[in-house]
Amino acid sequence: VRRPADRDDGSATVEASSSSNHRQSSSSSTAKVTAARRPAVPPRVVGSPRETRSETIQRMLEFRLTPRQVKSHLDARVVGQREAKKAIAVSISEHYHHARRCLEDPALLARHFHKPNMLVFGPSGSGKSHLVRAAADLVHAPFVKADATKFSATGFVGRDVADVVAQLLEAAGDDVDAARFGIVYVDEIDKICHKPNNVLGGGFGSVNTRDVQTSLLKLMEDFEVPLTGTAASKSSSPSRFASATDATQTNKTFSTKHVLFVFSGAFEPGGGTAAAAAAHDVERPKTAHDFVAMGLIREFVGRVPVRVALDRLSVAELRDILAADNDVSPLSRYIDAFAAHGIRFTYDRTALEVIAQRAFDHDLGARGLLTEVEATLRDFSYYLPSAQLDEFHLDAATVADPERALRRILDDAGVRDDDLDDLGELAVAGGVTAAAPDDATTTTTDAGPPGDPAVYTSAASEEVVVHSTARDDDPSVLAASSTLMRRRGETPPASSGS
């Protein structure tokens, strides 16, 4: 049976030889049978002239952005780092204009191309990963992120560097043409600096340092990675290799010639914090010699011509991250979470400034914001959904003393004190944690000596204990007195001065 070309009406003509047992004298030796069939998607053959362009390839063909337009896109996603965004914008624009020209004229693939591979470095939490991913999202390019510390030399336990090719092909949906111009991002590259006792505090064995750097050199060059065999068998998804080759058996290898490689690391003493770098009195690297002195081999440094330095985020930039009206802000998570319970979550600028200053003091960059926001809003996220509230406003006073603010909100909402038995017993005032007996409900004021609560009510003795330095009209005293009265079944006076 042979099947000619499909007809325009969605049917297929099948030409078959007639059986001798059913041959009729009035007919020929063959019979044409036309049968309607359901339209089917033909098998996708990579590299076939009839192949439909993928959406990713189409985006690359339509790429016409200038570096300034790329930077504008990054400005909407990343706060600060103006000079770094300019450098990355130039490299991304150059890379995808080259990709577009190669897709329009495949003959250009054979020409030598100086890839703008990048080395992005800066303190922890300065936005290295976020910046690179935002650049890749601009054209929806296949993007793979890997950790340099997970790699080992071939033959040793650990990942082979060639495994990233399997991930890149998977990210491209098995589209070899799209994966050819993808982005491979390798983080923590400073952790595999090979020189013992270098300024970064290194000293790893050569299996996970120099040999891995050498293996990465091969990928950065025009390296042909087998689509079947060792790399495939070691990858997490070996079928990705076979699916692109079984149909035609013409693509046996994958070339990394046009893949853009981006590496990042802190390259600062003490794990990448700005404070530790200042303590070691070591300047950030500027020249190729500086990176070699820090443990990168010369050949590696020579293949990353674009070096991008990120600065420590300032308090103002951390505040702007919090104020961002998209998912860049850690507060967006809480806006959605409160909205799910019908609570409108708002905040003012002063509250964001306090959180930003605390995060800055942690010297963790943008990651410090997550810690501070979570510590501030944890109990609010737990109690407020049950308090039948319509709105919750975060101000500087709430950030300064979350427990007191929460108790006030719940009191105003009519939530009984018995419902707050599991609320944290420690309060923080002026950065000092106040300790109290296990059976006490603590309310803290700055009036007391460091380390002791100024005011607390004891459930056992039913008394209000007040330091002699606290004023009678101190809000902490009034709050503790009100708590004690409610325990006795009494109604606290409406006037705060009573």
Side-chain angles (χ1 to χ4, degrees):
V1 178
R2 67 179 179 87
R3 184 184 299 274
D6 293 346
R7 288 167 41 176
D8 294 338
D9 61 358
S11 64
T13 300
V14 180
E15 188 170 299
S17 298
S18 300
S19 171
S20 58
N21 295 333
H22 297 81
R23 182 177 301 158
Q24 299 179 5
S25 58
S26 61
S27 65
S28 61
S29 60
T30 59
K32 290 184 178 180
V33 181
T34 301
R37 67 174 179 85
R38 183 193 309 169
V41 178
R44 185 172 179 275
V45 180
V46 176
S48 169
R50 299 178 59 186
E51 178 191 7
T52 302
R53 294 286 190 179
S54 68
E55 182 178 351
T56 301
I57 291 295
Q58 192 61 38
R59 286 179 178 270
M60 293 181 185
L61 286 168
E62 297 171 355
F63 188 87
R64 295 292 190 280
L65 298 180
T66 65
R68 293 190 66 177
Q69 290 173 319
V70 174
K71 181 180 176 296
S72 296
H73 167 81
L74 297 178
D75 287 338
R77 297 281 303 276
V78 182
V79 174
Q81 310 299 357
R82 178 174 179 270
E83 293 301 317
K85 285 188 284 192
K86 287 168 57 178
I88 291 177
V90 171
S91 295
I92 291 295
S93 179
E94 179 183 350
H95 178 68
Y96 284 105
H97 277 295
H98 169 72
R100 174 178 56 80
R101 292 192 297 268
C102 288
L103 291 171
E104 293 172 343
D105 183 7
L108 296 177
L109 291 170
R111 293 178 54 183
H112 181 68
F113 175 63
H114 297 280
K115 289 191 296 184
N117 294 328
M118 291 181 277
L119 176 58
V120 183
F121 60 98
S124 176
S126 56
K128 298 183 290 292
S129 300
H130 186 59
L131 192 55
V132 175
R133 186 179 294 276
D137 289 345
L138 178 59
V139 290
H140 293 266
F143 177 85
V144 169
K145 180 181 178 181
D147 188 334
T149 62
K150 304 299 182 183
F151 295 131
S152 66
T154 303
F156 291 85
V157 175
R159 294 187 59 194
D160 192 300
V161 293
D163 290 349
V164 297
V165 175
Q167 294 178 280
L168 187 62
L169 192 57
E170 182 175 359
D174 299 335
D175 190 334
V176 174
D177 289 337
R180 182 182 289 123
F181 301 103
I183 297 176
V184 172
Y185 173 50
V186 182
D187 196 11
E188 306 289 0
I189 196 66
D190 56 321
K191 302 301 189 297
I192 62 169
C193 291
H194 77 282
K195 185 177 180 180
N197 302 320
N198 61 27
V199 294
L200 298 180
F204 296 95
S206 62
V207 171
N208 290 325
T209 56
R210 187 183 183 93
D211 289 344
V212 173
Q213 290 188 45
T214 303
S215 298
L216 288 170
L217 286 178
K218 298 178 182 179
L219 288 185
M220 282 190 280
E221 299 260 328
D222 185 5
F223 186 63
E224 299 289 336
V225 180
L227 292 181
T228 57
T230 305
S233 61
K234 294 172 65 176
S235 72
S236 60
S237 183
S239 62
R240 296 289 177 183
F241 290 95
S243 62
T245 58
D246 288 348
T248 61
Q249 295 297 322
T250 58
N251 295 318
K252 300 293 185 180
T253 60
F254 176 85
S255 174
T256 61
K257 179 179 180 179
H258 302 281
V259 175
L260 182 65
F261 286 85
V262 183
F263 301 92
S264 73
F267 286 98
E268 291 184 356
T273 63
H280 286 75
D281 193 24
V282 178
E283 294 185 357
R284 61 166 39 184
K286 298 179 180 179
T287 66
H289 177 76
D290 294 335
F291 287 102
V292 173
M294 287 183 167
L296 290 179
I297 59 178
R298 293 183 179 275
E299 296 84 351
F300 187 97
V301 176
R303 286 166 175 79
V304 282
V306 181
R307 291 185 278 274
V308 182
L310 271 67
D311 300 317
R312 183 189 186 191
L313 294 174
S314 65
V315 176
E317 289 170 336
L318 291 172
R319 182 200 61 217
D320 291 343
I321 292 175
L322 288 172
D325 58 354
N326 51 37
D327 58 0
V328 171
S329 172
L331 291 175
S332 62
R333 161 192 164 192
Y334 293 91
I335 293 175
D336 294 339
F338 283 121
H341 299 284
I343 302 174
R344 181 171 177 263
F345 176 43
T346 59
Y347 48 82
D348 57 39
R349 187 180 183 88
T350 57
L352 303 188
E353 289 176 348
V354 175
I355 296 175
Q357 182 62 57
R358 289 180 178 178
F360 182 82
D361 294 339
H362 289 319
D363 200 15
L364 295 175
R367 294 187 181 92
L369 293 174
L370 298 173
T371 301
E372 283 300 323
V373 170
E374 197 280 333
T376 301
L377 298 179
R378 178 188 303 167
D379 285 335
F380 292 93
S381 300
Y382 179 80
Y383 286 101
L384 295 190
S386 303
Q388 304 298 318
L389 296 178
D390 296 327
E391 185 173 358
F392 167 48
H393 182 72
L394 181 68
D395 54 21
T398 302
V399 177
D401 194 344
E403 183 179 347
R404 178 183 297 180
L406 177 60
R407 287 186 179 276
R408 182 180 66 252
I409 292 173
L410 296 178
D411 283 345
D412 293 343
V415 179
R416 294 180 52 197
D417 187 70
D418 293 343
D419 297 331
L420 307 180
D421 290 340
D422 57 342
L423 186 59
E425 299 295 341
L426 296 182
V428 177
V432 179
T433 301
D438 292 337
D439 63 346
T441 298
T442 303
T443 307
T444 308
T445 177
D446 292 324
D452 290 326
V455 179
Y456 66 85
T457 59
S458 172
S461 59
E462 288 197 349
E463 62 183 350
V464 177
V465 181
V466 183
H467 276 291
S468 59
T469 54
R471 296 172 49 187
D472 290 341
D473 60 348
D474 187 281
S476 299
V477 178
L478 299 177
S481 300
S482 297
T483 299
L484 181 58
M485 294 182 68
R486 282 193 295 270
R487 284 179 177 167
R488 293 174 174 172
E490 303 171 358
T491 301
S495 173
S496 61
S498 302

